[in-house]
Amino acid sequence: MNETIFNFFYSFAHRSTLLDAAIGFTAEWYGLIILGALFIYLFKHRDNPQKGVRDLFVVGATAVSAWFIAHFFKDIFLTLRPADALLWVKPLISESGYAFPSGHATFFMALASSLWFYHKHLAVFFGISAVIIGIARVTAGIHWPFDILGGLFLGYVIGTTLHKLIVSIMGRFDDTP
């Protein structure tokens, strides 16, 4: 089933230069652009800049931790990327290392899950973006669908759990005189 779903999405690759460019952009650069915009927004949007910096720290620490946790799991599961498992797959972008879980899906879903506690509309936008980026990475031939699903699930769990843990720890410091 994983390969069947992969074949469906990958069938859109290599059809046209414009479509390949759009897939590659979404798989590789879209996330960085929206991430930069988010950090600027979180830093500047509040009447209280100190609270904006704290929000930025909590959300950023959660997402970065998720990225490292995803890479820890990659070294446990040792799942080959589609181009390494299927000789006929020619990925649109270069990617190395193991595939499961997707670091991008984990990172962006953890970001969305952590954002939910501050900005629900932004969280929905980033959750949808995590799915779009994941689909683009499957279409680009660098991930299996289960890599994306695993990353989305792991990101959700990490995002909600670490957010609560970090806020709890930070709350202890806020109460001190």
Side-chain angles (χ1 to χ4, degrees):
M1 183 163 160
N2 199 23
E3 192 172 332
T4 302
I5 297 169
F6 170 80
N7 288 337
F8 170 76
F9 284 109
Y10 184 69
S11 72
F12 293 99
H14 305 291
R15 286 192 177 186
S16 78
T17 306
L18 184 60
L19 183 56
D20 287 353
I23 294 166
F25 172 81
T26 305
E28 205 166 17
W29 298 106
Y30 171 71
L32 291 174
I33 292 169
I34 63 172
L35 184 62
L38 173 69
F39 283 162
I40 291 168
Y41 175 79
L42 286 178
F43 188 71
K44 294 191 172 227
H45 84 287
R46 299 270 184 187
D47 292 335
N48 179 353
Q50 186 176 6
K51 180 143 175 42
V53 170
R54 189 179 98 179
D55 294 355
L56 177 65
F57 172 77
V58 173
V59 170
T62 300
V64 169
S65 297
W67 179 266
F68 284 109
I69 292 168
H71 281 78
F72 169 78
F73 280 113
K74 284 177 184 278
D75 291 335
I76 291 174
F77 290 107
L78 306 175
T79 305
L80 295 177
R81 293 187 181 273
D84 296 328
L86 305 171
L87 297 177
W88 55 268
V89 173
K90 305 293 181 225
L92 295 177
I93 56 178
S94 179
E95 201 64 52
S96 62
Y98 293 109
F100 184 85
S102 165
H104 284 76
T106 305
F107 177 88
F108 283 102
M109 187 52 78
L111 187 71
S113 299
S114 183
L115 271 173
W116 183 258
F117 298 96
Y118 300 107
H119 309 281
K120 295 199 180 350
H121 289 98
L122 279 175
V124 169
F125 171 76
F126 274 86
I128 291 169
S129 292
V131 172
I132 291 169
I133 292 167
I135 290 170
R137 293 181 72 77
V138 172
T139 306
I142 54 177
H143 272 295
W144 299 102
F146 288 164
D147 301 341
I148 303 304
L149 291 175
L152 293 172
F153 176 76
L154 182 62
Y156 173 78
V157 170
I158 292 169
T160 54
T161 305
L162 280 183
H163 175 269
K164 290 177 183 177
L165 179 65
I166 292 170
V167 168
S168 171
I169 291 169
M170 290 177 72
R172 292 181 187 168
F173 292 109
D174 288 344
D175 296 337
T176 58

